[in-house]
Every structure is written in structure tokens, then in C-alpha cells.
């Protein structure tokens, strides 16, 4: 990337989080500057705060100003499937039938590297168009599919985590690897791509049902050999799935224990769903420091159930949580639409989810779930300048809901932001920046550039 040698300023209303509003008073967690300025140098945030104060520290600063817009840290999607983007909205089935009938055939196409390359461009364009700047992504079983995604993410300088899926049973022959091949292919991908620029690797067994015990233990071996790669899989999503795992692993004390015995339950593990977890499993995840990707649009679409966020966020046994779109079982690429469904799931459980909590999950909470909070998740100086420019009036309904586009203070911005959580989608994304460089811009972006 060609960085300007000069620092660059971004002016607008700035909102971010510095701590977890599930555990601390919201006022201590949220930061809001109605007229703020963020200064970026070589892709890194150099300063951030009230406009007048920060501006006075620079004699000469090129500034992109976004009047009437809200700047937030880029959204973080902690669980999404690259090869499922073309099969969203597959009708009428719950998880296991949905996988067999729709998902497996869709993923077969990603053995073709040229096709995977074309789709990787569209996939990343779609993430950026929705304000998502980092994602933890399932590729397909074919190593080429992970390579295509890494190549496309590298070209865009994205911080992205992916991995080739490991699956050696209970799937069509055309989609199966073997325990030995999955080990050597994953290993080669790790050696090529992990920590190359901003890219990171996740060892990715699909779920316990599609891996033999031998494959799971080789996944554990990879984690031992490469202690800073991630583990990314599905866990306790659907009741029939949980019952099937019990049949497949009769000598294990539940679903999580299958992963645990293989050495997969650690600090860098991210488990998608967890809708059907037992209390003891929440305790174990908390002790292990593992994370859950809460995927409400998917859980509702597949009828999987209502994730008990309040259990994950308990005081006694806290579990890190991020939000996942889980496209293609998820029904939107938008983390805003995902927060909307997270709110509705909470309501159905007679719980509340504030805008502050929801947007924390979509930003700093996601960064913590992915153990990337040292480099991402808010506007702290020293962090990577991935951010999103939101239009609080981006749809007709939002324009009615938020008649004043810039909130005067923290209380008002919490209300405005709740409007975005419930009504927002891709139309509320004005622009997306990666390392301080424009990566997506809506047709009517409302940016004013000036140089002084
Ligand atoms: N469990 C195993 N594979 C999948 C998948 O592709 N999507 C979802 N939602 N759950 C899974
Ligand atoms: Zn999934």
C-alpha cells in the first residue's frame, strides 16, 4: 500500500468503546466526541479526540470531514462462510438437512481456483460494503479456496483470518479430505499465510460430526505445533446435531468434550453458535478462555434456537463473545442487521441488549474474541486504522428515527445508535477505511476534503 508520509485527519462524530458494557457501567465503556478528529499515519491511529484539541497539535493536516456522519471502528465478523455467499436464503430446512441439501453442493464449486478467485473478490467487496473490516472465515475443504481468499485479502491489506475446512467423514465424497491430507494441507497453508502481512490462519475442522477422531487429534497437533494459530469450528448449534454427536462419540461426556480431548479448547478457539450448550460447558469455555461467535440471524433462519447471551456474559464464568453473520445460514452480511437480531433474541429470552452492548460486540468485543484487541477494535492510538463511516439517516426510516444526525452527548448517541442497531443495514454505510485508506465509498458519501 502506498502510504502518504504525512498524517491524515478524519473529522466527524467519533464513537468507540474502551471496555465491556456487560460488566461495567456504560458511561465507563463508551467514548463519544460529537466533533472529533482522528489522525492516521502510515495506517496507524496517531491521535484521537475532540477536534479543536487534536487539530491544534498539527500545523499542517489534510482532513477528510464527514459532517452529519458517525465514525466507528470497523465491524468484526467472528464467523462467516466464504463458499456460502451464493446460497443464502435456502428454503425450508434445519441444520443437518440444510447442509446436505444445499450447503455441500454449493461448496463443491470452490475446488475451481479461478471461480474461487472471482468469488473472493465479490466476498471481500461485500464485507467492505457492509462496514466489516475484519472477519474470521470458513473457506471450503479445498486448499485453493483458502488461498484464493488469502490472496484477495492480501491485495486489499485486510486483517483476515481463514483456513481450509477439515472434513473426512459424513459428507459427500467430493467434499472429503483425509486426516493425513488435511494435516499436511493445513500445515502448508499455515507456513505460507499465517502472519503474512495482516493475515492469520485458523485450523478449521467443520464440526465434530464431519471429522474422525483421528482428524480432530491432528487438528490438535497443528495447534501444538503452531501455538498462535486459531481454532475455528461449530459447536452445539442444533438439537439433532447435539444428539448425533452423542451417538458418534458415545464415550464422551458431551459435545465440547470431543473438542477438549483433541486439544482444541484453548484461548485461541472460536466456537460458532453454542445455542445448546450446557451450564458445565459454559464453565469450561470460560476457564479455557475460548470465544463464542453468536450468530443470531443464522440461529433464527435455521430455527436453531435462542443463544443465551446472558449465560456467556455471566459475572461468575464470563465467556468472550463476538458476533457472526454466519452467511450463508445467516441472512445478511450486515453486522448492524446482526445486532438487530441479537436484540430480538435477547427480547425473546426476556433479556435486554443495549445499543452500547450490541455495538461493543460488533467492534471491541469481536476484537477481544479474536484476541486482536491490541491492534483493533477501537480508536486507541497505536491501533490499526480500520473504521467505518455511518450515516445515521441512511434509509428513509432512519431519517425519520434520527432527525438530528449528530448526537450532542453520550445519552443522545446511545439513542441514535439504537436506531442504527434496529434499522441499519448496508445503506447506513457511507464509507469503509482500511489502514486509513478508502476501501469502499457509497455513491452519495458526503465527504468534504480540505487541506490547510
Ligand atoms: N455446522 C457444520 N457446518 C455448518 C455450516 O456450514 N453452517 C452452520 N450454520 N452450521 C454448520
Ligand atoms: Zn457456520
Amino acid at each position: 500500500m502506498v502510504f502518504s508520509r504525512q498524517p491524515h485527519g478524519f473529522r466527524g462524530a467519533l464513537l468507540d468503546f474502551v471496555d465491556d458494557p456487560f460488566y461495567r457501567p456504560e458511561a465507563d465503556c463508551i467514548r463519544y466526541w460529537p466533533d472529533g478528529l482522528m489522525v492516521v499515519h502510515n495506517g496507524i491511529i496517531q491521535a484521537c479526540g475532540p477536534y479543536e484539541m487534536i487539530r491544534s497539535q498539527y500545523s499542517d493536516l489534510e482532513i477528510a470531514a464527514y459532517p452529519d456522519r458517525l465514525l466507528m471502528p470497523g465491524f468484526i465478523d467472528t464467523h462467516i462462510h466464504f463458499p456460502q455467499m451464493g446460497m443464502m436464503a435456502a428454503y425450508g430446512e434445519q441444520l443437518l438437512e440444510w447442509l446436505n441439501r444445499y450447503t455441500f453442493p454449493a461448496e463443491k464449486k470452490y475446488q475451481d481456483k479461478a471461480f474461487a478467485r472471482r468469488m473472493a473478490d465479490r466476498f471481500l467487496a461485500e464485507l467492505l460494503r457492509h462496514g466489516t473490516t475484519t472477519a474470521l472465515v470458513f473457506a471450503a475443504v479445498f486448499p485453493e479456496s483458502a488461498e484464493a481468499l488469502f490472496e484477495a485479502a492480501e491485495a486489499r491489506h485486510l486483517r483476515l483470518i481463514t483456513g481450509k475446512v477439515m472434513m473426512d467423514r459424513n459428507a459427500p465424497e467430493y467434499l472429503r479430505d483425509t486426516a493425513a491430507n488435511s494435516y499436511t494441507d493445513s500445515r502448508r497453508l499455515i507456513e505460507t499465510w499465517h502472519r503474512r502481512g495482516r493475515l492469520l490462519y485458523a485450523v478449521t475442522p467443520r464440526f465434530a460430526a464431519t471429522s474422525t477422531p483421528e482428524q480432530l487429534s491432528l487438528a490438535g497437533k497443528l495447534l501444538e505445533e503452531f501455538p498462535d494459530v486459531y481454532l475455528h469450528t461449530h459447536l452445539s448449534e442444533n438439537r439433532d446435531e447435539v444428539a448425533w454427536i452423542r451417538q458418534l462419540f458415545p464415550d464422551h461426556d458431551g459435545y465440547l468434550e470431543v473438542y477438549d480431548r483433541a486439544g482444541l479448547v484453548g484461548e485461541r478457539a472460536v466456537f460458532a453458535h453454542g445455542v445448546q450448550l450446557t451450564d458445565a460447558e459454559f464453565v469450561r469455555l470460560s476457564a479455557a478462555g475460548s470465544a463464542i461467535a453468536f450468530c443470531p440471524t443464522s440461529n433464527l433462519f435455521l430455527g436453531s434456537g435462542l443463544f443465551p447471551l446472558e449465560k456467556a456474559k455471566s459475572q461468575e464464568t464470563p465467556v468472550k463473545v463476538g458476533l457472526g453473520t454466519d452467511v450463508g445460514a445467516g441472512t445478511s452480511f450486515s453486522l448492524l442487521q446482526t445486532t438487530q437480531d441479537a436484540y430480538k433474541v435477547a427480547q425473546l429470552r426476556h433479556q435486554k441488549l443495549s445499543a452500547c452492548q450490541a455495538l461493543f460486540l460488533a467492534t471491541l468485543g469481536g476484537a477481544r474474541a479474536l484476541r486482536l484487541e491490541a491492534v483493533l477494535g477501537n480508536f486507541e492510538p497505536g491501533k490499526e486504522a480500520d473504521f467505518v463511516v455511518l450515516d445515521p439517516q441512511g434509509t428513509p426510516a432512519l431519517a425519520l428515527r434520527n432527525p438530528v444526525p449528530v448526537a450532542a452527548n453520550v445519552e443522545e448517541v446511545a439513542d441514535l445508535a439504537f436506531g442504527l442497531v434496529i434499522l441499519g443495514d448496508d445503506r447506513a454505510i457511507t464509507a469503509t477505511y482500511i489502514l486509513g485508506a478508502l476501501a469502499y465509498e457509497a455513491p452519495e458519501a458526503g465527504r468534504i476534503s480540505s487541506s490547510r
Side-chain angles (χ1 to χ4, degrees):
M1 180 170 277
V2 186
F3 292 119
S4 63
R5 266 183 275 124
Q6 297 298 321
H8 235 84
F10 299 91
R11 182 179 186 178
L14 302 184
L15 172 67
D16 74 349
F17 301 95
V18 290
D19 212 336
D20 188 336
F22 289 89
Y23 299 110
R24 297 201 40 206
E26 294 201 344
D28 296 349
C29 299
I30 193 167
R31 278 199 303 197
Y32 179 61
W33 295 294
D35 182 13
L37 181 64
M38 173 169 48
V39 180
V40 177
H41 191 210
N42 289 335
I44 302 297
I45 298 168
Q46 194 173 66
C48 189
Y51 175 79
E52 294 299 340
M53 188 185 97
I54 303 293
R55 181 69 190 83
S56 69
Q57 296 166 9
Y58 293 84
S59 56
D60 183 37
L61 191 65
E62 217 174 283
I63 294 176
Y66 285 102
D68 302 344
R69 296 292 193 271
L70 180 66
L71 275 60
M72 283 193 65
F75 296 138
I76 297 179
D77 188 340
T78 61
H79 180 68
I80 183 167
H81 296 256
F82 161 46
Q84 295 178 16
M85 71 178 295
M87 57 142 305
M88 293 166 78
Y91 175 74
E93 306 292 0
Q94 297 214 347
L95 176 64
L96 300 176
E97 298 74 24
W98 174 86
L99 281 173
N100 284 316
R101 180 161 173 198
Y102 299 112
T103 315
F104 292 154
E107 295 195 1
K108 180 175 192 283
K109 292 185 241 159
Y110 286 73
Q111 66 192 320
D112 174 354
K113 178 89 184 262
F115 176 78
R117 280 205 171 112
R118 286 198 302 278
M119 294 307 280
D121 275 335
R122 292 177 70 172
F123 180 77
L124 296 181
E126 208 53 6
L127 292 187
L128 293 168
R129 205 172 67 71
H130 287 84
T132 299
T133 50
T134 279
L136 172 59
V137 188
F138 258 67
V141 71
F142 315 107
E144 296 80 5
S145 66
E147 278 162 9
L149 191 57
F150 274 132
E151 286 163 12
E154 182 174 54
R156 290 174 162 83
H157 308 281
L158 297 182
R159 192 169 272 292
L160 184 122
I161 314 167
T162 190
K164 164 212 134 50
V165 168
M166 304 167 78
M167 49 194 301
D168 65 346
R169 66 165 167 172
N170 291 322
E173 202 269 323
Y174 60 75
L175 220 55
R176 285 200 305 262
D177 52 16
T178 65
N181 284 347
S182 71
Y183 172 82
T184 45
D185 284 345
S186 300
R187 199 188 158 96
R188 185 174 44 81
L189 288 167
I190 292 167
E191 285 167 349
T192 310
W193 293 104
H194 184 61
R195 299 210 174 276
R196 173 156 150 178
R198 303 181 82 196
L199 304 174
L200 297 159
Y201 195 85
V203 172
T204 310
R206 180 171 212 117
F207 67 146
T210 47
S211 286
T212 57
E214 187 193 1
Q215 183 168 60
L216 292 176
S217 76
L218 284 173
K221 183 164 186 258
L222 286 167
L223 299 183
E224 249 176 54
E225 291 166 345
F226 302 95
D228 67 338
V229 302
Y230 292 87
L231 183 281
H232 185 199
T233 189
H234 295 94
L235 171 67
S236 296
E237 175 177 4
N238 163 292
R239 286 195 186 165
D240 292 346
E241 171 207 12
V242 174
W244 190 26
I245 301 301
R246 278 204 177 282
Q247 282 174 14
L248 289 170
F249 297 89
D251 59 332
H252 288 65
D253 191 19
Y255 199 155
L256 185 61
E257 222 223 359
V258 175
Y259 294 142
D260 220 347
R261 277 208 224 161
L264 307 185
V265 183
E267 286 184 341
R268 304 186 78 82
V270 180
F271 296 103
H273 305 299
V275 174
Q276 313 293 341
L277 286 171
T278 64
D279 289 350
E281 288 173 325
F282 275 110
V283 172
R284 173 63 191 131
L285 289 174
S286 176
S290 304
I292 296 176
F294 172 25
C295 307
T297 78
S298 163
N299 296 159
L300 295 171
F301 178 74
L302 289 180
S304 302
L306 306 174
F307 175 67
L309 181 61
E310 73 283 0
K311 285 194 185 174
K313 285 294 188 179
S314 78
Q315 296 283 345
E316 302 74 35
T317 54
V319 179
K320 285 177 292 175
V321 177
L323 289 175
T325 60
D326 195 27
V327 164
T331 52
S332 172
F333 275 82
S334 167
L335 262 299
L336 290 175
Q337 293 213 292
T338 306
T339 58
Q340 178 197 145
D341 276 6
Y343 178 81
K344 293 174 181 172
V345 167
Q347 279 282 37
L348 285 164
R349 296 186 58 79
H350 300 280
Q351 301 286 325
K352 287 184 182 169
L353 182 70
S354 71
C356 184
Q357 291 170 327
L359 292 172
F360 166 81
L361 291 178
T363 56
L364 184 61
R368 287 183 176 178
L370 301 182
R371 300 183 71 82
L372 290 173
E373 69 271 26
V375 292
L376 285 180
N378 62 17
F379 293 146
E380 279 297 293
K383 291 199 181 184
E384 297 165 355
D386 291 354
F387 59 93
V388 58
V389 181
L390 293 157
D391 182 355
Q393 301 182 321
T395 73
L398 273 170
L400 287 166
R401 170 61 168 74
N402 292 329
V404 180
V406 177
N409 52 45
V410 172
E411 292 74 37
E412 281 185 23
V413 83
D415 180 57
L416 175 141
F418 188 64
L420 278 168
V421 162
I422 300 302
L423 301 175
D425 55 32
D426 51 332
R427 293 167 294 173
I429 308 299
T430 288
T432 306
Y433 283 83
I434 296 297
L435 295 176
L438 188 65
Y440 163 75
E441 187 169 53
E444 310 256 327
R447 169 166 52 100
I448 303 166
S449 287
S450 67
S451 193
R452 297 198 263 164

